[in-house]
Amino acid sequence: MASSQLPVHALSSASDKYPKPQGVAFTYGTAGFRTKGDTLESTLFRIGLLAVLRSKKLNGQTIGVMITASHNPAIDNGAKLVDPRGEMLDASWEQHATLLANAETTSELLKVLTGLIPELKIDWTKPSRVVFGRDTRPSGEALVKALKAGLEAMGCHAPLDMGITTTPCLHYMVKGSNLKQEAQIKYGVPSEQGYVQKLATAFTKLMKGKSPASPLIVDCANGVGAVALAKLSPLISDILPIRSICTNTSDASALNHSCGADYVKTNQKPPPAVQEVMEKGHRACSLDGDADRVVYYYLNPDDGKFRLLDGDKIATLAAGFIGDLVKQAGLSDTLKIGVVQTAYANGSSTQYLQHNGLPVRCVPTGVKHLHHAAERYNIGVYFEANGHGTVLFSEETIDILNAHEPRSPAQETATQHLLCLVDLINQAVGDAISDFLMVEVILAHKRWGPVEWDQGYEDLPNRLVKVNVTDRFAFKTQDAERRLVEPKGLAERVDAIVNKFEKGRSFVRPSGTEDCVRVYAEASTRVGADELAAQVATLVSDFSNGDLF
Ligand code: 16G
Ligand code: MG
């Protein structure tokens, strides 16, 4: 049996060096494992084991491991696996990750592992290839060591260490590593340098003939985005001057502290460091700690009020622009564009898209759900309101664009622009940097500033509330998380509250990353949205305390 070749001795002695902390339960959630960094060494060792199995299962294709806790505080860390096309680990394997991470002892771990090999029909004789990277967190170094120990114990030769890198760069790398030579030439060199070059080239082509943009303020969340931007920025500085803020990666405690996309989205205001340098009417954007998420904002020129241009605004901007290019290229009968959102998308954005004739699909929260849904269109635009997202062009679409014979110079230009966008926009996963370059291209082409961009629709006032409950798993949803199916009877009570509010909408879902339940509410007025959120939150908390039913 194949499993008999498992290097049991090597595994056993290596595993003993990475004992699982007692009394901790690990879960591979929406974005992989995520918890305190100093509790994760055994988990990283075991992720190494799983990465090797995954690679062998997929015939030796390269698998990625990213060590990051994204927008969480510096003390946290996490890890996620990346599948060969650069997408998130197939959901059916998440349970194996959880199972391995929770084996209490080395012998239990070996038992789980030995069971998985026949269960997953893994041919042990296949090779395994793994590439990994980490963000700037101090615990990252020890976690890399643990991961390497796991890979080595499984006989994975020469895994590729990308060092400190952004999550999207790692995804780009995985995708590129698995392409055949010819496809790889078109895609770009699978290295960090190759990625930076690819973005800079596409951006430069798309900005040809456009006057240089006014400087863009980029808040790097004191994270790895600062490192990546320092490499890209000099290549495009004469077209887009970038003023990087919050670039302190040497002081760990600064990471995501009073800065970054999550701060802006949650507090609905610029980070203090950005506020200091922001001028009315000028745009700024904030990345998160691993640079896979971006939101824009500006201060209203009239009253100086903060205005957020979130993932929904980016999605509508991108879908509109790309839709126009498809029309100008003469391909609107051939290429179908679709937009994918989650229940958190502001109702006004959904309505705006639908009025503009764009099909919109709603899927559960988490990049993997959006990504898979977007793959079903010729051109799939997906963004979460929080700024995670990208635009996917299917292989067939790229072939159609390459083969297209334009009937006019305008058609030719539009076709070329679409092809350049394929290069500019990360096709594996959302990239804050690639996304803001896309936004900058669109604004330049439309000769828009943030004010014009913002004019498409007005967000409905909304509120997100966190409710601590005794058991978040008691809350089960359906219809892309828009409706509760359990606890029984709660959905009807939520409906009864929602119906009291003009344009009211509210939903309740268990968080995939924290031990809590989230309540979202929107309504026609600020007071209404706040009141609706408060009433639904009280309902949820009463239930949790056993005061209901
Ligand atoms: C993770 C997800 C993000 C989602 C968020 C929801 C990825 C890469 N990240 O950060 O897409 O919006 O979780 O968090 O999938 P929640 O379940 O705690 O509300
Ligand atoms: Mg992130």
Side-chain angles (χ1 to χ4, degrees):
M1 198 167 83
S3 63
S4 64
Q5 293 166 32
L6 198 67
V8 175
H9 290 297
L11 270 167
S12 167
S13 60
S15 164
D16 285 344
K17 294 193 191 115
Y18 296 98
K20 175 185 174 287
Q22 284 182 347
V24 187
F26 298 103
T27 313
Y28 196 99
T30 328
F33 293 109
R34 200 178 289 183
T35 181
K36 296 280 165 279
D38 60 4
T39 64
L40 274 169
E41 286 184 39
S42 64
T43 301
L44 261 295
F45 176 81
R46 292 151 190 225
I47 282 214
L49 314 188
L50 192 66
V52 170
L53 294 190
R54 184 80 185 142
S55 178
K56 284 184 188 288
K57 172 73 189 172
L58 300 174
N59 217 1
Q61 291 188 84
T62 301
I63 295 298
V65 180
M66 182 68 198
I67 300 174
T68 177
S70 187
H71 64 266
N72 287 34
I75 194 161
D76 288 354
N77 216 327
K80 52 189 167 192
L81 284 157
V82 178
D83 260 356
R85 287 184 307 124
E87 76 278 37
M88 304 283 175
L89 173 70
D90 187 285
S92 67
W93 274 57
E94 291 176 2
Q95 53 181 318
H96 311 318
T98 302
L99 205 62
L100 284 170
N102 289 306
E104 290 297 337
T105 58
T106 291
S107 64
E108 206 180 295
L109 176 66
L110 287 173
K111 210 165 122 202
V112 174
L113 199 60
T114 332
L116 279 178
I117 293 174
E119 184 192 328
L120 299 169
K121 298 196 178 61
I122 284 159
D123 176 353
W124 187 260
T125 62
K126 297 280 182 192
S128 61
R129 293 187 186 85
V130 176
V131 50
F132 59 89
R134 66 177 177 101
D135 69 14
T136 52
R137 281 158 215 275
S139 56
E141 217 169 311
L143 298 183
V144 160
K145 207 169 143 214
L147 171 69
K148 275 161 92 174
L151 296 170
E152 197 176 305
M154 289 286 274
C156 174
H157 295 297
L160 188 61
D161 181 357
M162 290 192 70
I164 291 180
T165 194
T166 68
T167 294
C169 185
L170 192 270
H171 283 254
Y172 161 86
M173 183 74 187
V174 173
K175 184 177 162 92
S177 305
N178 289 308
L179 293 175
K180 300 228 164 61
Q181 205 181 3
E182 200 185 321
Q184 206 179 67
I185 291 167
K186 281 198 203 124
Y187 178 78
V189 183
S191 68
E192 192 178 56
Q193 186 52 35
Y195 186 44
V196 169
Q197 199 56 56
K198 177 181 163 114
L199 294 184
T201 307
F203 184 68
T204 308
K205 281 191 194 159
L206 282 158
M207 293 293 274
K208 199 165 164 226
K210 308 288 160 210
S211 39
S214 62
L216 172 68
I217 297 174
V218 183
D219 153 24
C220 297
N222 292 317
V224 65
V227 181
L229 205 51
K231 292 174 186 156
L232 174 77
S233 192
L235 305 183
I236 57 168
S237 58
D238 46 347
I239 327 170
L240 175 67
I242 291 175
R243 179 159 185 195
S244 302
I245 309 260
C246 303
T247 57
N248 181 358
T249 53
S250 50
D251 172 8
S253 66
L255 177 65
N256 296 319
H257 184 73
S258 286
C259 59
D262 205 57
Y263 176 93
V264 175
K265 177 81 182 158
T266 313
N267 296 292
Q268 301 275 318
K269 62 178 185 194
V274 178
Q275 178 88 49
E276 261 175 45
V277 294
M278 247 185 130
E279 283 171 44
K280 278 187 193 171
H282 284 258
R283 72 223 185 286
C285 66
S286 285
L287 323 182
D288 74 339
D290 62 338
D292 66 348
R293 170 177 167 192
V294 65
V295 292
Y296 269 71
Y297 43 95
Y298 68 101
L299 303 176
N300 200 331
D302 301 330
D303 56 12
K305 280 207 178 117
F306 170 82
R307 301 277 309 176
L308 181 67
L309 295 157
D310 63 0
D312 299 339
K313 288 273 181 183
I314 299 177
T316 50
L317 181 76
F321 180 70
I322 293 171
D324 287 347
L325 282 181
V326 168
K327 266 186 225 136
Q328 288 156 19
L331 286 168
S332 44
D333 290 337
T334 321
L335 299 181
K336 295 289 163 233
I337 304 180
V339 181
V340 185
Q341 300 186 314
T342 72
Y344 288 113
N346 196 279
S348 295
S349 72
T350 314
Q351 212 178 20
Y352 174 84
L353 288 163
Q354 285 165 342
H355 274 165
N356 284 287
L358 287 157
V360 183
R361 251 197 90 187
C362 183
V363 298
T365 305
V367 169
K368 62 182 176 223
H369 300 295
L370 290 116
H371 191 91
H372 286 136
E375 279 181 320
R376 297 166 64 164
Y377 297 102
N378 287 113
I379 302 174
V381 179
Y382 76 81
F383 275 90
E384 290 187 309
N386 64 20
H388 276 293
T390 194
V391 181
L392 298 181
F393 295 78
S394 72
E395 285 306 324
E396 185 206 359
T397 304
I398 299 172
D399 289 344
I400 291 172
L401 289 171
N402 277 316
H404 184 45
E405 286 175 11
R407 301 224 187 97
S408 66
Q411 284 199 356
E412 164 76 20
T413 309
T415 309
Q416 286 313 315
H417 283 161
L418 284 165
L419 282 166
C420 284
L421 283 174
V422 178
D423 282 337
L424 182 68
I425 306 171
N426 190 312
Q427 295 297 293
V429 80
D431 177 350
I433 294 177
S434 150
D435 284 343
F436 83 60
L437 292 177
M438 170 187 78
V439 167
E440 292 300 312
V441 164
I442 301 176
L443 295 180
H445 278 244
K446 288 186 171 287
R447 299 211 188 111
W448 278 2
V451 178
E452 292 79 11
W453 171 15
D454 200 11
Q455 270 159 5
Y457 64 87
E458 186 65 27
D459 271 333
L460 282 171
N462 57 89
R463 182 66 63 209
L464 184 62
V465 182
K466 196 161 129 172
V467 188
N468 291 317
V469 293
T470 32
D471 178 17
R472 74 179 142 131
F473 298 107
F475 293 79
K476 298 207 165 56
T477 62
Q478 64 178 21
D479 189 23
E481 303 181 322
R482 288 174 290 193
R483 197 162 176 82
L484 278 172
V485 273
E486 280 179 33
K488 295 254 174 309
L490 208 52
E492 289 73 18
R493 291 190 182 220
V494 173
D495 287 346
I497 300 175
V498 167
N499 287 337
K500 295 191 290 189
F501 292 83
E502 194 192 344
K503 292 201 179 166
R505 185 169 74 91
S506 179
F507 64 90
V508 180
R509 58 174 281 278
S511 159
T513 63
E514 280 181 76
D515 195 11
C516 68
V517 162
R518 299 200 200 282
V519 171
Y520 174 88
E522 64 185 31
S524 61
T525 62
R526 170 82 273 144
V527 175
D530 289 349
E531 184 55 29
L532 176 53
Q535 289 191 21
V536 175
T538 306
L539 180 73
V540 168
S541 132
D542 285 352
F543 165 79
S544 178
N545 296 331
D547 294 347
L548 274 182
F549 311 112

